[in-house]
Amino acid sequence: MTTAPMTAVPMTTKDWCASSRIKPLGAGGGGVESSAMSGVSAVQYTATSVSVSGKRFTYPRMVIPPDMDQEALYSEFMPRCITGFMDGYNVNIIAYGQTGSGKTHTMFGPPGCMAAAARGEYGYSVHEGYGLFPRALHGVLCALRDARAAGHVHVLTCAAVELSTMGIQDMLDKSGCKATAVKWRSSAHGVVIDRSAKPPRLYGQNEVVVGGEEDLRAVWGAVAARNTSETLLNDSSSRSHCIVQLSLWRYE
């Protein structure tokens, strides 16, 4: 039996979209934004556009309204992404915005959510506060169970890296992960970026095998190890960029 990575199928411009999520007025950040204090939002939006201070920005896929919860957001975007991932596509989900705009909430959940999950407070179920990533990881595990029942054999691994003014840090190391982890490619200098690769790639990070729900706490603990600090716009602002990578291998 040989092992091989899932075949990466190039995606076209039809397979990506940019959307804007409208943060509920006063949510998070200590409610110190001027709009939160006045009760009047500076943002006007339609189903496909956002207007701020007279400037209009269009999002053909959709504008996510503030009353769309985490579960509905996941159902809108992620099932097709999980299907593509299982079929061998490279799938990337990126959150971009200023501090306090809700990136961490959207991707992982509200402050303390991942730390509580790492402590086992939510068990193995999908918690209502979970963002796109933890819900997607649960979804991938469900898809792998179905694939296993059909006789297919896969191995799923997860790595987590933090980019900040402190440099590049392996979050599995930082969290004190006790799970068995392997380095995808060893590096005497820790985690490094190969800028000569197209696209650039990270090397030297640990990867933990995620075989089932019992392995999730190590992943949640790594995500919870991010640097955070209070700012005027966010009382638990993430002070770094976080990259969480899932790799799927199929045995043939």
Side-chain angles (χ1 to χ4, degrees):
M1 181 179 293
T2 60
T3 62
M6 297 289 287
T7 303
V9 182
M11 301 187 79
T12 69
T13 55
K14 295 181 179 179
D15 296 305
W16 66 271
C17 68
S19 298
S20 176
R21 189 179 194 186
I22 307 298
K23 180 180 176 181
L25 198 63
V32 298
E33 302 96 329
S34 58
S35 57
M37 292 184 286
S38 68
V40 179
S41 176
V43 177
Q44 284 75 47
Y45 63 93
T46 68
T48 57
S49 69
V50 176
S51 298
V52 182
S53 301
K55 294 184 178 180
R56 184 172 178 268
F57 306 89
T58 58
Y59 298 89
R61 175 66 172 83
M62 72 177 299
V63 171
I64 304 160
D67 58 352
M68 177 177 281
D69 62 18
Q70 302 282 64
E71 181 179 2
L73 179 64
Y74 171 83
S75 298
E76 179 69 36
F77 288 96
M78 295 307 295
R80 182 171 178 270
C81 292
I82 292 174
T83 299
F85 179 69
M86 294 296 298
D87 287 343
Y89 284 86
N90 292 324
V91 179
N92 296 278
I93 309 297
I94 301 173
Y96 175 82
Q98 74 172 53
T99 182
S101 60
K103 302 182 297 298
T104 299
H105 179 90
T106 295
M107 296 298 287
F108 301 114
C113 182
M114 289 288 90
R119 293 191 296 268
E121 295 181 13
Y122 304 146
Y124 295 138
S125 60
V126 176
H127 186 262
E128 63 180 359
Y130 279 179
L132 294 178
F133 172 69
R135 289 175 183 272
L137 187 45
H138 273 281
V140 169
L141 288 178
C142 288
L144 287 176
R145 280 195 296 269
D146 293 341
R148 194 176 301 121
H152 303 294
V153 180
H154 297 81
V155 174
L156 177 70
T157 66
C158 180
V161 174
E162 181 178 48
L163 310 179
S164 70
T165 56
M166 302 296 291
I168 307 174
Q169 292 184 285
D170 187 317
M171 295 170 70
L172 285 168
D173 277 345
K174 184 178 178 181
S175 66
C177 173
K178 298 298 190 295
T180 301
V182 295
K183 286 189 180 296
W184 185 59
R185 186 171 295 184
S186 62
S187 169
H189 304 286
V191 182
V192 296
I193 300 177
D194 179 5
R195 300 184 186 277
S196 65
K198 301 295 182 183
R201 299 201 55 175
L202 289 168
Y203 294 98
Q205 68 272 26
N206 286 307
E207 293 191 37
V208 62
V209 175
V210 184
E213 282 81 359
E214 66 278 3
D215 300 315
L216 293 178
R217 289 178 63 180
V219 177
W220 306 155
V223 174
R226 291 186 70 187
N227 288 324
T228 60
S229 180
E230 182 176 355
T231 69
L232 288 177
L233 286 176
N234 191 344
D235 49 16
S236 56
S237 176
S238 300
R239 299 287 83 201
S240 66
H241 298 290
C242 175
I243 300 173
V244 182
Q245 176 182 323
L246 297 178
S247 299
L248 185 62
W249 296 76
R250 179 177 61 204
Y251 285 74
E252 297 179 340

